[in-house]
Protein backbone atom coordinates (compact mmCIF):
# COMPACT_ATOMS: atom_id res chain seq x y z
CA UNK A 1 0.00 0.00 0.00
CA UNK A 2 1.22 3.52 -0.82
CA UNK A 3 1.56 5.76 2.18
CA UNK A 4 1.95 9.51 2.48
CA UNK A 5 5.68 9.26 3.29
CA UNK A 6 6.43 8.05 -0.24
CA UNK A 7 5.46 11.35 -1.84
CA UNK A 8 7.85 14.22 -2.64
CA UNK A 9 8.09 16.60 0.34
CA UNK A 10 5.86 19.39 -1.10
CA UNK A 11 3.08 16.95 -2.00
CA UNK A 12 3.39 15.23 1.35
CA UNK A 13 3.12 18.60 3.11
CA UNK A 14 -0.09 19.35 1.22
CA UNK A 15 -1.57 15.97 2.17
CA UNK A 16 -0.62 16.43 5.82
CA UNK A 17 -2.07 19.95 5.88
CA UNK A 18 -5.39 18.78 4.43
CA UNK A 19 -5.48 15.91 6.92
CA UNK A 20 -4.66 18.17 9.87
CA UNK A 21 -6.77 21.23 9.03
CA UNK A 22 -9.36 20.09 6.50
CA UNK A 23 -10.27 21.76 3.17
CA UNK A 24 -7.97 24.56 2.01
CA UNK A 25 -7.63 26.91 -0.94
CA UNK A 26 -4.52 27.48 -3.04
CA UNK A 27 -3.96 30.73 -1.14
CA UNK A 28 -4.24 28.93 2.21
CA UNK A 29 -1.73 26.28 1.20
CA UNK A 30 0.64 28.79 -0.38
CA UNK A 31 0.69 30.89 2.80
CA UNK A 32 0.92 28.04 5.31
CA UNK A 33 3.44 25.92 3.38
CA UNK A 34 5.51 28.81 2.00
CA UNK A 35 5.20 27.76 -1.62
CA UNK A 36 4.30 29.86 -4.63
CA UNK A 37 0.73 29.66 -5.82
CA UNK A 38 1.88 28.13 -9.11
CA UNK A 39 3.86 25.41 -7.33
CA UNK A 40 0.85 24.60 -5.15
CA UNK A 41 -1.39 24.36 -8.23
CA UNK A 42 0.98 21.95 -9.95
CA UNK A 43 1.10 19.64 -6.94
CA UNK A 44 -2.67 19.87 -6.48
CA UNK A 45 -3.19 18.97 -10.14
CA UNK A 46 -1.10 15.81 -9.78
CA UNK A 47 -2.75 14.79 -6.51
CA UNK A 48 -6.17 15.36 -8.08
CA UNK A 49 -5.27 13.27 -11.14
CA UNK A 50 -4.09 10.52 -8.78
CA UNK A 51 -7.46 10.78 -6.95
CA UNK A 52 -5.93 11.53 -3.57
CA UNK A 53 -7.62 14.92 -3.30
CA UNK A 54 -10.72 16.53 -4.72
CA UNK A 55 -11.75 20.10 -5.30
CA UNK A 56 -15.05 21.77 -4.52
CA UNK A 57 -16.55 25.20 -5.08
CA UNK A 58 -17.38 27.44 -2.14
CA UNK A 59 -19.54 30.47 -2.94
CA UNK A 60 -19.63 33.25 -0.36
CA UNK A 61 -22.98 34.60 0.81
CA UNK A 62 -22.09 38.28 0.38
CA UNK A 63 -24.19 40.19 -2.21
CA UNK A 64 -22.33 40.73 -5.44
CA UNK A 65 -19.74 38.12 -4.61
CA UNK A 66 -17.66 37.05 -7.58
CA UNK A 67 -16.70 33.60 -8.75
CA UNK A 68 -16.80 30.86 -6.10
CA UNK A 69 -13.47 29.97 -4.57
CA UNK A 70 -12.05 26.48 -4.95
CA UNK A 71 -10.96 24.45 -1.96
CA UNK A 72 -9.26 21.08 -1.83
CA UNK A 73 -9.80 18.13 0.50
CA UNK A 74 -8.77 14.48 0.81
CA UNK A 75 -10.70 11.79 -1.04
CA UNK A 76 -11.32 8.35 0.44
CA UNK A 77 -8.19 7.17 -1.37
CA UNK A 78 -6.30 10.06 0.20
CA UNK A 79 -7.55 9.13 3.66
CA UNK A 80 -6.19 5.61 3.13
CA UNK A 81 -2.68 7.05 2.80
CA UNK A 82 -2.66 7.58 6.56
CA UNK A 83 -2.34 4.80 9.15
CA UNK A 84 -5.51 2.84 9.85
CA UNK A 85 -6.24 -0.13 12.15
CA UNK A 86 -8.85 -1.93 10.04
CA UNK A 87 -7.06 -5.28 10.34
CA UNK A 88 -6.90 -5.20 14.13
CA UNK A 89 -10.54 -4.13 14.35
CA UNK A 90 -11.64 -6.99 12.06
CA UNK A 91 -9.72 -9.59 14.06
CA UNK A 92 -11.21 -8.20 17.28
CA UNK A 93 -14.71 -8.35 15.77
CA UNK A 94 -14.26 -11.98 14.72
CA UNK A 95 -12.92 -12.91 18.16
CA UNK A 96 -15.78 -11.08 19.92
CA UNK A 97 -18.40 -12.92 17.87
CA UNK A 98 -16.73 -16.23 18.69
CA UNK A 99 -16.32 -15.57 22.41
CA UNK A 100 -19.70 -13.95 23.01
CA UNK A 101 -21.98 -15.73 20.55
CA UNK A 102 -20.13 -18.91 19.55
CA UNK A 103 -18.94 -20.54 16.35
CA UNK A 104 -22.44 -20.93 14.93
CA UNK A 105 -22.94 -17.15 15.05
CA UNK A 106 -19.66 -16.59 13.20
CA UNK A 107 -20.73 -19.15 10.64
CA UNK A 108 -23.99 -17.28 10.13
CA UNK A 109 -22.14 -13.98 9.64
CA UNK A 110 -19.78 -15.48 7.06
CA UNK A 111 -22.70 -17.23 5.38
CA UNK A 112 -24.45 -13.87 5.01
CA UNK A 113 -21.27 -12.37 3.52
CA UNK A 114 -21.15 -15.27 1.07
CA UNK A 115 -24.78 -14.79 0.05
CA UNK A 116 -24.20 -11.08 -0.49
CA UNK A 117 -21.33 -11.74 -2.90
CA UNK A 118 -23.28 -14.41 -4.75
CA UNK A 119 -26.21 -12.06 -5.29
CA UNK A 120 -23.88 -9.26 -6.31
CA UNK A 121 -21.94 -11.28 -8.89
CA UNK A 122 -24.16 -14.03 -10.25
CA UNK A 123 -25.72 -11.86 -12.98
CA UNK A 124 -22.24 -11.44 -14.50
CA UNK A 125 -21.97 -15.21 -14.98
CA UNK A 126 -25.39 -15.95 -16.46
CA UNK A 127 -25.37 -17.78 -19.80
CA UNK A 128 -21.63 -18.49 -19.68
CA UNK A 129 -19.92 -21.86 -19.92
CA UNK A 130 -17.54 -23.02 -17.19
CA UNK A 131 -14.35 -21.54 -18.62
CA UNK A 132 -16.11 -18.25 -19.31
CA UNK A 133 -17.52 -18.16 -15.76
CA UNK A 134 -14.08 -18.76 -14.26
CA UNK A 135 -12.64 -16.00 -16.47
CA UNK A 136 -15.43 -13.66 -15.35
CA UNK A 137 -14.67 -14.46 -11.71
CA UNK A 138 -10.99 -13.75 -12.35
CA UNK A 139 -11.96 -10.32 -13.66
CA UNK A 140 -14.10 -9.69 -10.56
CA UNK A 141 -11.30 -10.65 -8.18
CA UNK A 142 -8.78 -8.62 -10.19
CA UNK A 143 -10.67 -5.49 -9.17
CA UNK A 144 -8.98 -5.92 -5.76
CA UNK A 145 -6.05 -8.13 -6.70
CA UNK A 146 -4.27 -7.77 -10.05
CA UNK A 147 -2.17 -10.90 -9.40
CA UNK A 148 -4.82 -13.52 -10.22
CA UNK A 149 -4.12 -16.34 -12.69
CA UNK A 150 -6.03 -19.31 -14.11
CA UNK A 151 -4.41 -22.65 -14.92
CA UNK A 152 -5.89 -25.92 -16.22
CA UNK A 153 -4.71 -29.17 -14.64
CA UNK A 154 -6.63 -32.16 -15.97
CA UNK A 155 -10.09 -32.15 -14.39
CA UNK A 156 -9.14 -29.16 -12.27
CA UNK A 157 -9.23 -25.47 -13.02
CA UNK A 158 -6.90 -23.58 -10.70
CA UNK A 159 -7.65 -20.03 -9.63
CA UNK A 160 -4.37 -18.71 -8.23
CA UNK A 161 -4.28 -15.74 -5.88
CA UNK A 162 -0.86 -14.21 -5.19
CA UNK A 163 -1.86 -11.03 -3.39
CA UNK A 164 -4.71 -11.58 -0.96
CA UNK A 165 -6.20 -8.14 -0.15
CA UNK A 166 -7.22 -9.44 3.30
CA UNK A 167 -3.95 -11.23 4.07
CA UNK A 168 -3.28 -9.58 7.43
CA UNK A 169 -6.63 -10.73 8.81
CA UNK A 170 -6.72 -14.07 6.98
CA UNK A 171 -3.32 -15.07 8.35
CA UNK A 172 -4.63 -14.66 11.90
CA UNK A 173 -8.21 -15.84 11.36
CA UNK A 174 -8.26 -18.22 8.37
CA UNK A 175 -11.97 -18.90 8.86
CA UNK A 176 -12.48 -15.76 6.79
CA UNK A 177 -11.11 -17.61 3.74
CA UNK A 178 -14.11 -19.95 3.86
CA UNK A 179 -16.11 -17.13 2.29
CA UNK A 180 -14.11 -17.33 -0.95
CA UNK A 181 -14.38 -21.12 -1.11
CA UNK A 182 -18.14 -21.00 -0.56
CA UNK A 183 -18.68 -18.13 -3.03
CA UNK A 184 -16.81 -20.00 -5.78
CA UNK A 185 -18.71 -23.20 -5.01
CA UNK A 186 -22.08 -21.43 -5.17
CA UNK A 187 -21.35 -19.50 -8.35
CA UNK A 188 -19.79 -22.38 -10.27
CA UNK A 189 -21.88 -25.28 -8.95
CA UNK A 190 -18.73 -27.34 -8.49
CA UNK A 191 -16.63 -28.54 -5.57
CA UNK A 192 -13.88 -26.04 -4.69
CA UNK A 193 -10.99 -26.59 -2.28
CA UNK A 194 -7.86 -24.63 -1.42
CA UNK A 195 -4.80 -26.71 -2.33
CA UNK A 196 -2.21 -24.13 -1.31
CA UNK A 197 -2.55 -21.35 1.26
CA UNK A 198 -0.73 -18.31 2.52
CA UNK A 199 -1.26 -19.66 6.04
CA UNK A 200 0.83 -22.75 5.24
CA UNK A 201 3.67 -20.66 3.85
CA UNK A 202 2.94 -21.41 0.19
CA UNK A 203 3.12 -17.74 -0.76
CA UNK A 204 -0.20 -17.95 -2.57
CA UNK A 205 -3.70 -19.39 -2.38
CA UNK A 206 -4.67 -21.93 -5.03
CA UNK A 207 -8.38 -22.65 -5.35
CA UNK A 208 -8.99 -25.96 -7.12
CA UNK A 209 -12.25 -26.03 -9.08
CA UNK A 210 -13.02 -29.71 -9.68
CA UNK A 211 -14.99 -29.83 -12.91
CA UNK A 212 -16.22 -33.43 -12.50
CA UNK A 213 -17.65 -32.93 -9.01
CA UNK A 214 -20.89 -30.92 -9.33
CA UNK A 215 -22.59 -29.45 -6.28
CA UNK A 216 -26.34 -28.98 -5.84
CA UNK A 217 -26.41 -25.25 -5.14
CA UNK A 218 -30.12 -25.44 -4.34
CA UNK A 219 -29.46 -27.42 -1.17
CA UNK A 220 -25.93 -26.18 -0.55
CA UNK A 221 -25.22 -24.49 2.78
CA UNK A 222 -22.19 -22.61 4.03
CA UNK A 223 -19.45 -24.65 5.66
CA UNK A 224 -16.03 -23.90 7.11
CA UNK A 225 -12.97 -25.17 5.29
CA UNK A 226 -11.62 -28.46 6.62
Amino acid sequence: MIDSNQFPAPRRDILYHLKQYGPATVADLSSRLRMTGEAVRQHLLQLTQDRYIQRQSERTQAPGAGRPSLSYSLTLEGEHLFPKSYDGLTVELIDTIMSQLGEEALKQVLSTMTESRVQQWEFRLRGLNLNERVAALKDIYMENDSFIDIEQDGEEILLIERNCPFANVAMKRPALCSVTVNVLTRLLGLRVVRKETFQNGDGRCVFSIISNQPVDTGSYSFSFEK
Side-chain angles (χ1 to χ4, degrees):
M1 177 185 290
I2 296 174
D3 66 59
S4 57
N5 291 320
Q6 294 176 268
F7 289 87
R11 237 167 268 172
R12 185 172 64 246
D13 290 343
I14 290 172
L15 290 167
Y16 271 74
H17 187 280
L18 296 178
K19 179 65 176 172
Q20 180 84 24
Y21 300 105
T25 64
V26 170
D28 294 333
L29 293 167
S30 177
S31 174
R32 294 293 296 271
L33 303 179
R34 298 184 180 181
M35 288 191 279
T36 66
E38 182 58 29
V40 169
R41 289 187 184 90
Q42 289 300 316
H43 291 301
L44 289 174
L45 176 61
Q46 186 60 56
L47 289 168
T48 302
Q49 290 175 344
D50 292 339
R51 300 183 180 180
Y52 295 125
I53 65 170
Q54 60 193 349
R55 67 179 187 175
Q56 60 236 21
S57 299
E58 293 183 351
R59 184 178 295 279
T60 61
Q61 300 298 318
R67 296 172 61 186
S69 62
L70 293 175
S71 66
Y72 294 81
S73 61
L74 295 175
T75 62
L76 184 59
E77 288 86 350
E79 287 287 352
H80 286 164
L81 295 172
F82 296 87
K84 300 290 187 291
S85 297
Y86 302 136
D87 296 342
L89 179 61
T90 304
V91 170
E92 182 180 357
L93 179 60
I94 292 172
D95 289 348
T96 300
I97 292 172
M98 281 287 290
S99 64
Q100 297 297 314
L101 303 174
E103 182 178 290
E104 192 59 34
L106 178 61
K107 182 178 178 180
Q108 183 58 48
V109 169
L110 298 181
S111 175
T112 300
M113 290 172 60
T114 297
E115 188 63 31
S116 176
R117 283 161 174 74
V118 169
Q119 292 183 8
Q120 182 181 354
W121 297 342
E122 62 181 349
F123 80 95
R124 297 170 64 171
L125 278 64
R126 288 174 188 159
L128 303 180
N129 63 37
L130 175 58
N131 288 330
E132 291 170 338
R133 281 183 287 157
V134 174
L137 283 168
K138 174 187 174 183
D139 290 341
I140 291 171
Y141 281 106
M142 283 187 72
E143 294 170 7
N144 290 313
D145 175 10
S146 58
F147 298 93
I148 292 278
D149 284 326
I150 299 172
E151 293 181 5
Q152 185 85 35
D153 184 14
E155 297 295 334
E156 296 177 304
I157 300 174
L158 305 177
L159 188 65
I160 302 170
E161 180 182 52
R162 292 188 171 87
N163 180 46
C164 174
F166 313 111
N168 290 343
V169 176
M171 290 294 289
K172 297 177 180 178
R173 301 296 179 269
L176 187 65
C177 302
S178 296
V179 172
T180 302
V181 173
N182 282 267
V183 167
L184 291 173
T185 300
R186 284 281 309 280
L187 289 173
L188 297 172
L190 296 168
R191 183 168 177 255
V192 177
V193 296
R194 275 201 305 166
K195 295 180 68 175
E196 298 180 29
T197 73
F198 284 106
Q199 290 93 343
N200 287 341
D202 297 315
R204 63 183 190 172
C205 277
V206 177
F207 296 91
S208 173
I209 302 159
I210 307 172
S211 59
N212 63 356
Q213 294 190 28
V215 170
D216 181 4
T217 57
S219 61
Y220 180 85
S221 61
F222 181 93
S223 61
F224 287 114
E225 282 186 282
K226 295 182 181 179

